[in-house]
Amino acid sequence: MRVLLVGGGGREHALALGLADDPSVEMLVAAPGNPGIASVAELREVDTADPAAVAALAVELRAELVVIGPEAPLVAGVADAVRAKGIAVFGPSAEAARLEGSKTFAKEIMTAAGVPTARAHTCTDPQSAADALDDFGPPYVVKNDGLAAGKGVVVTDDRAIALEHARECGRVVIEEYLSGPEVSLFVVTDGEAAVPLLPAQDFKRVGDGDTGPNTGGMGAYAPLPWAPPDLVDEVMTDVVHPTLAQMRHRGIPFTGLLYVGLALTAAGPRVIEFNARFGDPETQVVLALLETPLAGLLHAAATGTLAAHPPLRWRDGAAVTVVVAAEGYPAKPRTGDVITGADRAGVIHAGTRRDADGTLRSAGGRVLCGTATGPDLAAARDAAYALVRGIELAGAHHRSDIAAAAVESRIAVPD
Ligand code: AMP
Ligand code: GLY
């Protein structure tokens, strides 16, 4: 199979490793890719937000499968443009990607589908925002309505900060606070059939103990030893299938990866958000445990043949990834610093670039991820932190508590 992978972050490096491992893949090109991906794929420059440019590249490469990693190309209609050339695409149409691109649209679909989620109001002026904040009370949850790279959400007890975020964003969704551990569940779907991957947990706040501002994600682990055994079945029945049915009913079937972000509250699982693509950095841990060839799975979803795909096989044990972030991330990441110690198996490149002389430099807020598997979560965690300790990058920071609470059995679903 000839595969074109669109994107160039840590998630795409993990996807590239999975695709390159699939014996059916005879060509793997990543656009634009990154220096880590370059070890398993040919890199091509492309403007990933330009549907015509990506479609032309797919045609030139005679790609048989295009896998779109990030949300921005999906929302821009890259999947539509590639599909119009008769090429199989893993990733939803622009219209279906609104499940991620518009929080208001996502709430509308969830309400119509009867999916359990936080009660919410969409507000476009300071008065309605103030009324909504007072309706729900603290902690306040204020979300930018559009795409914000994981940084559009403010959760705070401070009403003035909540109001200020609403004013800055213009159009916001203000919602009820959901209390309970968070889960990321990825579901591969062709619009009708749906296959869940292993549930993972992400660490959204920048600091240890879930302190500081939200980020794109500072680390992840899978599987979740504390999750109720029937969690995945319950989410498939109560969330995924009703949502996919509602999308079909509206004539905008969702194909690709439905990322269900959940809080496990005392009242049961509640959807925090949908994303229209693999999560980053959860993909690094989920794919590290997937034994089933990845290209075949994504191709089945892209061609409407997922119902005939064999059941997934998983490796035993656990996986942990720890993000190494640039100085100043998430507010104002500094880039251009020299990196050493990154050329080892398990070091995933997220925001890096290579000079002509081979020097590796930081090129984004999240720079690298140390990703490791092990026979259990404690072993995987030790191995991931060993990788991180081997990386040198001036001013870098990382969380020191990724997967720690799970290893120490300190996570419980409230009852
Ligand atoms: P989102 O971009 O919607 O995933 O939100 C980012 C993060 O904000 C989530 O992972 C949660 O940690 C937090 N968050 C979002 N919505 C809520 C909510 N309704 N209640 C509690 N925390 C939330
Ligand atoms: N890790 C969170 C996200 O990908 O949105």
Side-chain angles (χ1 to χ4, degrees):
M1 196 185 327
R2 302 173 64 83
V3 183
L4 169 61
L5 170 64
V6 176
R11 160 188 47 218
E12 287 75 32
H13 191 178
L15 284 164
L17 293 174
L19 292 167
D21 251 0
D22 183 330
S24 77
V25 173
E26 71 202 55
M27 176 204 81
L28 181 60
V29 174
N34 67 35
I37 297 173
S39 59
V40 291
E42 182 195 333
L43 304 191
R44 291 289 296 265
E45 271 307 319
V46 78
D47 177 358
T48 58
D50 180 345
V54 177
L57 179 61
V59 169
E60 180 201 323
L61 295 169
R62 290 180 293 118
E64 292 157 296
L65 174 66
V66 176
V67 177
I68 302 174
E71 58 274 22
L74 294 168
V75 171
V78 169
D80 307 80
V82 175
R83 217 169 267 131
K85 300 288 184 194
I87 299 171
V89 185
F90 185 79
S93 67
E95 259 199 289
R98 292 178 67 219
L99 268 189
E100 169 163 4
S102 165
K103 304 258 186 209
T104 303
F105 177 74
K107 281 290 178 194
E108 189 186 309
I109 294 293
M110 283 189 256
T111 304
V115 167
T117 184
R119 287 191 304 124
H121 300 301
T122 298
C123 306
T124 51
D125 65 86
Q127 187 56 52
S128 65
D131 291 345
L133 293 176
D134 295 336
D135 177 17
F136 297 127
Y140 304 107
V141 181
V142 183
K143 303 186 174 188
N144 194 337
D145 186 41
L147 281 187
K151 289 175 274 179
V153 179
V154 163
V155 180
T156 177
D157 283 322
D158 187 327
R159 190 170 176 281
I161 291 175
L163 263 182
E164 177 57 18
H165 187 60
R167 199 191 55 76
E168 274 170 17
C169 295
R171 186 183 167 90
V172 290
V173 172
I174 292 180
E175 66 182 36
E176 172 193 9
Y177 179 80
L178 299 172
S179 179
E182 287 183 38
V183 173
S184 301
L185 182 68
F186 299 165
V187 179
V188 173
T189 178
D190 60 11
E192 189 137 13
V195 176
L197 306 187
L198 286 182
Q201 192 172 48
D202 178 23
F203 293 74
K204 289 256 168 64
R205 301 287 188 125
V206 73
D208 281 5
D210 297 328
T211 54
N214 266 314
T215 69
M218 294 298 289
Y221 66 94
L224 308 178
W226 48 268
D230 58 351
L231 174 68
V232 172
D233 286 345
E234 188 179 352
V235 174
M236 294 303 287
T237 304
D238 294 351
V239 176
V240 174
H241 285 298
T243 299
L244 295 178
Q246 180 60 217
M247 295 296 280
R248 288 195 302 272
H249 172 72
R250 294 187 181 215
I252 41 174
F254 184 96
T255 71
L257 198 291
L258 182 64
Y259 166 140
V260 186
L262 299 150
L264 305 194
T265 74
R270 295 283 179 271
V271 176
I272 289 186
E273 63 165 347
F274 284 136
N275 291 318
R277 38 88 196 162
F278 281 96
D280 192 346
E282 299 98 307
T283 301
Q284 285 81 316
V285 290
V286 171
L287 293 188
L289 296 171
L290 181 67
E291 212 166 62
T292 299
L294 182 62
L297 174 65
L298 304 187
H299 188 262
T303 52
T305 57
L306 196 57
H309 191 275
L312 300 186
R313 295 189 316 273
W314 296 97
R315 300 192 173 92
D316 291 335
V320 174
T321 191
V322 178
V323 170
V324 176
E327 178 169 325
Y329 179 77
K332 262 185 99 181
R334 187 179 77 196
T335 59
D337 289 301
V338 173
I339 303 163
T340 56
D343 299 312
R344 268 178 299 165
V347 176
I348 302 282
H349 290 234
T352 66
R353 65 179 169 84
R354 214 180 271 288
D355 292 347
D357 70 0
T359 306
L360 191 67
R361 291 184 189 275
S362 58
R366 293 188 291 175
V367 182
L368 299 156
C369 317
T371 306
T373 56
D376 58 26
L377 202 52
R381 175 177 147 75
D382 288 346
Y385 275 102
L387 284 171
V388 166
R389 278 194 299 277
I391 294 168
E392 279 186 61
L393 167 63
H397 60 98
H398 62 267
R399 279 183 64 158
S400 67
D401 64 348
I402 303 301
V407 167
E408 293 159 17
S409 305
R410 283 190 279 114
I411 304 184
V413 179
D415 51 24

